[in-house]
Amino acid sequence: MTPTTGRRRRSLFAAVAAAALGVLGLAATPAAAQEWRGWNIHAADYPNGVGMDAFTRLVAERTNNRIRMRTFHSAQLGQQDEAIQQMRLGTIDFANFNLSPFNNLAPSTNVVTLPFLFRDVGHMQRAIDGPAGEAIARDLEAIGIVALSWYDAGARSLYTTRPVRAPADLRGMKIRVQTSDLWIDLMRALGANPTPLPFGEVFTSLQSGVIDGAENNWPSYESTRHFEVARFYSTTEHSNVPEVLAVSAQRWRRLNEQERAILRDAARESAAIQRRSWADRERVSRERVVAAGVTVIEIADRAPWAALMEPVYAKYAADARLAELVRAIRGMQ
Ligand code: GTR
């Protein structure tokens, strides 16, 4: 064999080997290295971005970079409802979502969205870290999403272009809600006209008068600059719906037990980081909008608001399993 034929044979062998690896989908990355794409609706410095960045850093460290994750912050990979579809299809690998956009897909998420259910943040955390979280994780798994940990999202309140002090002030006002039947019925029960819109369209819709208000927590009201166009914030604190850090079931299926344990631990640690960051940011955001001249209308008595929520409970907590969960949550210390 001449040196030239030897070289030719070797390169032929290399080409065949490369083609075989290509068929197996292994050619581009060394052995089992994985590159994951993550979705975040908020900016990187928002508490949820801080939590997600901690998660990806811990996973990379503990898998020796075998699982590398990159979070695309600020809804770069699309709005919320599309991102949920992409997670289910496996084209987005991990994400942080509020639980309300799952209301029509995963029944138990309605329970933690219910108005005036939690007494305070501690009560919400005990429920989501306990029986509510277990039920929701099961419902999410059934639609192709694996819940790993729960993030705080504070209390949601109304903000509007005209002052709102009592439910009667909402009559005829167009209020943006997330894509969720529960939210539509909740706003109707308050006497408003619910208008489902993606988060990213709220600012311009307020500015152009397509809507008269929306509802959210202090950090979202501030970070999106909605406070510049809706100058009245009424502390209704009507819902404490939390958020989930989740992985696509398509990815999860391909992990071994050791990798799953690494992801679960990292997710729990990231939730502790997010919750600390959340508590700070709530205070800072409130201070920022007050300094910018927003009128905060303190709702001292929430009873007249809560009294209107009867039809929402009747519809979304009627089924025996959900009614039991509501009872269990109410009974928690
Ligand atoms: C925020 C939440 C987002 C999104 C948004 C909205 O508080 O963190 O995931 O749900 O509200 O109202 O669309």
Side-chain angles (χ1 to χ4, degrees), residues 41-42 46 48 80 97-98 101 156 176 178 199 215-217 220 243:
I41 200 167
H42 298 289
Y46 196 87
N48 305 28
Q80 195 152 249
F97 290 112
N98 186 268
R156 296 177 78 103
R176 178 268 174 172
Q178 302 188 68
F199 193 44
E215 53 77 53
N216 221 314
N217 48 51
S220 280
E243 315 225 338

Short mmCIF file of all heavy atoms in Angstrom, two decimals, residues 41-42 46 48 80 97-98 101 156 176 178 199 215-217 220 243, ligand 1:
data_model
loop_
_atom_site.label_atom_id
_atom_site.label_comp_id
_atom_site.label_asym_id
_atom_site.label_seq_id
_atom_site.Cartn_x
_atom_site.Cartn_y
_atom_site.Cartn_z
N ILE A 41 -39.78 35.88 29.91
CA ILE A 41 -40.55 37.03 29.42
C ILE A 41 -39.93 38.34 29.88
O ILE A 41 -40.07 39.37 29.25
CB ILE A 41 -42.02 36.92 29.90
CG1 ILE A 41 -42.96 37.77 29.04
CG2 ILE A 41 -42.16 37.26 31.38
CD1 ILE A 41 -44.44 37.46 29.28
N HIS A 42 -39.19 38.29 31.02
CA HIS A 42 -38.67 39.50 31.64
C HIS A 42 -37.22 39.78 31.25
O HIS A 42 -36.53 38.89 30.74
CB HIS A 42 -38.76 39.39 33.16
CG HIS A 42 -40.17 39.25 33.66
ND1 HIS A 42 -41.07 40.29 33.64
CD2 HIS A 42 -40.84 38.20 34.19
CE1 HIS A 42 -42.22 39.87 34.14
NE2 HIS A 42 -42.11 38.60 34.49
N TYR A 46 -34.45 41.25 36.15
CA TYR A 46 -35.69 41.02 36.91
C TYR A 46 -35.45 39.78 37.80
O TYR A 46 -34.67 38.90 37.42
CB TYR A 46 -36.79 40.76 35.89
CG TYR A 46 -38.22 40.86 36.37
CD1 TYR A 46 -38.89 42.08 36.38
CD2 TYR A 46 -38.94 39.73 36.76
CE1 TYR A 46 -40.21 42.16 36.78
CE2 TYR A 46 -40.27 39.80 37.16
CZ TYR A 46 -40.90 41.03 37.17
OH TYR A 46 -42.22 41.13 37.56
N ASN A 48 -36.78 37.03 38.24
CA ASN A 48 -36.91 35.73 37.57
C ASN A 48 -35.71 35.44 36.68
O ASN A 48 -35.27 34.30 36.56
CB ASN A 48 -38.20 35.70 36.74
CG ASN A 48 -39.41 36.02 37.57
OD1 ASN A 48 -39.31 36.74 38.56
ND2 ASN A 48 -40.55 35.50 37.21
N GLN A 80 -45.80 34.77 25.54
CA GLN A 80 -46.05 33.67 26.46
C GLN A 80 -46.79 32.45 25.87
O GLN A 80 -46.34 31.31 26.02
CB GLN A 80 -46.86 34.25 27.60
CG GLN A 80 -46.97 33.44 28.80
CD GLN A 80 -47.17 34.35 30.00
OE1 GLN A 80 -46.29 34.47 30.85
NE2 GLN A 80 -48.32 34.99 30.06
N PHE A 97 -42.60 30.50 33.78
CA PHE A 97 -43.93 30.99 33.38
C PHE A 97 -44.75 31.35 34.60
O PHE A 97 -44.69 30.65 35.62
CB PHE A 97 -44.72 29.89 32.67
CG PHE A 97 -44.23 29.50 31.31
CD1 PHE A 97 -43.68 28.25 31.11
CD2 PHE A 97 -44.34 30.36 30.24
CE1 PHE A 97 -43.23 27.86 29.86
CE2 PHE A 97 -43.90 29.98 28.98
CZ PHE A 97 -43.34 28.73 28.79
N ASN A 98 -45.58 32.35 34.46
CA ASN A 98 -46.65 32.56 35.41
C ASN A 98 -47.64 31.41 35.20
O ASN A 98 -47.71 30.86 34.10
CB ASN A 98 -47.32 33.92 35.13
CG ASN A 98 -48.36 34.26 36.18
OD1 ASN A 98 -49.53 33.94 36.04
ND2 ASN A 98 -47.92 34.89 37.24
N PRO A 101 -51.38 31.59 32.44
CA PRO A 101 -51.55 31.17 31.05
C PRO A 101 -51.78 29.66 30.89
O PRO A 101 -52.06 29.20 29.80
CB PRO A 101 -50.23 31.56 30.38
CG PRO A 101 -49.50 32.38 31.34
CD PRO A 101 -50.08 32.22 32.68
N ARG A 156 -51.05 40.66 42.74
CA ARG A 156 -51.43 41.46 41.56
C ARG A 156 -52.53 42.44 41.95
O ARG A 156 -53.46 42.10 42.67
CB ARG A 156 -51.92 40.53 40.44
CG ARG A 156 -50.82 39.61 39.92
CD ARG A 156 -51.34 38.66 38.86
NE ARG A 156 -51.50 39.29 37.55
CZ ARG A 156 -50.66 39.13 36.54
NH1 ARG A 156 -49.57 38.37 36.68
NH2 ARG A 156 -50.88 39.72 35.39
N ARG A 176 -56.98 44.88 30.56
CA ARG A 176 -56.21 43.78 29.96
C ARG A 176 -56.10 42.60 30.93
O ARG A 176 -55.84 42.80 32.12
CB ARG A 176 -54.81 44.28 29.58
CG ARG A 176 -53.91 43.20 28.99
CD ARG A 176 -53.07 42.49 30.05
NE ARG A 176 -52.32 41.37 29.47
CZ ARG A 176 -51.40 40.68 30.12
NH1 ARG A 176 -51.08 40.99 31.35
NH2 ARG A 176 -50.79 39.69 29.54
N GLN A 178 -54.59 38.24 31.05
CA GLN A 178 -53.84 37.20 30.36
C GLN A 178 -54.85 36.27 29.66
O GLN A 178 -56.04 36.30 29.96
CB GLN A 178 -52.99 36.41 31.34
CG GLN A 178 -52.03 37.30 32.11
CD GLN A 178 -51.05 36.48 32.94
OE1 GLN A 178 -50.20 35.78 32.41
NE2 GLN A 178 -51.17 36.58 34.24
N PHE A 199 -48.57 40.23 27.01
CA PHE A 199 -47.89 41.17 27.92
C PHE A 199 -47.19 42.28 27.12
O PHE A 199 -47.26 43.46 27.47
CB PHE A 199 -46.86 40.35 28.70
CG PHE A 199 -46.24 41.00 29.90
CD1 PHE A 199 -46.99 41.72 30.81
CD2 PHE A 199 -44.88 40.85 30.14
CE1 PHE A 199 -46.41 42.28 31.94
CE2 PHE A 199 -44.29 41.40 31.27
CZ PHE A 199 -45.05 42.12 32.17
N GLU A 215 -53.59 44.70 35.14
CA GLU A 215 -53.37 44.35 36.54
C GLU A 215 -52.08 43.56 36.61
O GLU A 215 -51.79 42.76 35.73
CB GLU A 215 -54.58 43.60 37.12
CG GLU A 215 -55.07 42.39 36.35
CD GLU A 215 -54.20 41.19 36.57
OE1 GLU A 215 -53.97 40.85 37.73
OE2 GLU A 215 -53.75 40.60 35.57
N ASN A 216 -51.29 43.85 37.61
CA ASN A 216 -50.03 43.13 37.78
C ASN A 216 -49.39 43.50 39.12
O ASN A 216 -49.91 44.36 39.85
CB ASN A 216 -49.07 43.42 36.62
CG ASN A 216 -48.34 42.16 36.16
OD1 ASN A 216 -47.85 41.40 37.00
ND2 ASN A 216 -48.29 41.93 34.86
N ASN A 217 -48.26 42.85 39.40
CA ASN A 217 -47.52 43.15 40.64
C ASN A 217 -46.66 44.40 40.45
O ASN A 217 -46.48 44.89 39.33
CB ASN A 217 -46.67 41.92 41.00
CG ASN A 217 -45.90 41.42 39.80
OD1 ASN A 217 -45.22 42.18 39.13
ND2 ASN A 217 -46.01 40.14 39.51
N SER A 220 -43.64 44.15 37.77
CA SER A 220 -44.02 44.15 36.35
C SER A 220 -44.55 45.53 35.94
O SER A 220 -44.28 46.01 34.83
CB SER A 220 -45.06 43.08 36.05
OG SER A 220 -44.44 41.83 35.93
N GLU A 243 -45.38 31.38 40.04
CA GLU A 243 -44.77 31.03 38.74
C GLU A 243 -44.02 29.70 38.85
O GLU A 243 -43.71 29.24 39.95
CB GLU A 243 -43.80 32.13 38.33
CG GLU A 243 -44.38 33.52 38.54
CD GLU A 243 -44.18 34.48 37.39
OE1 GLU A 243 -43.27 34.27 36.58
OE2 GLU A 243 -44.96 35.45 37.31
C1 GTR B 1 -46.01 38.97 35.10
C2 GTR B 1 -45.51 37.56 34.98
C3 GTR B 1 -45.36 37.20 33.53
C4 GTR B 1 -46.63 37.44 32.78
C5 GTR B 1 -47.14 38.84 33.02
C6 GTR B 1 -48.48 39.07 32.34
O1 GTR B 1 -46.21 39.29 36.45
O2 GTR B 1 -44.26 37.42 35.63
O3 GTR B 1 -44.97 35.85 33.40
O4 GTR B 1 -47.58 36.49 33.19
O5 GTR B 1 -47.23 39.10 34.40
O6 GTR B 1 -49.35 39.66 32.97
O7 GTR B 1 -48.64 38.69 31.19
#
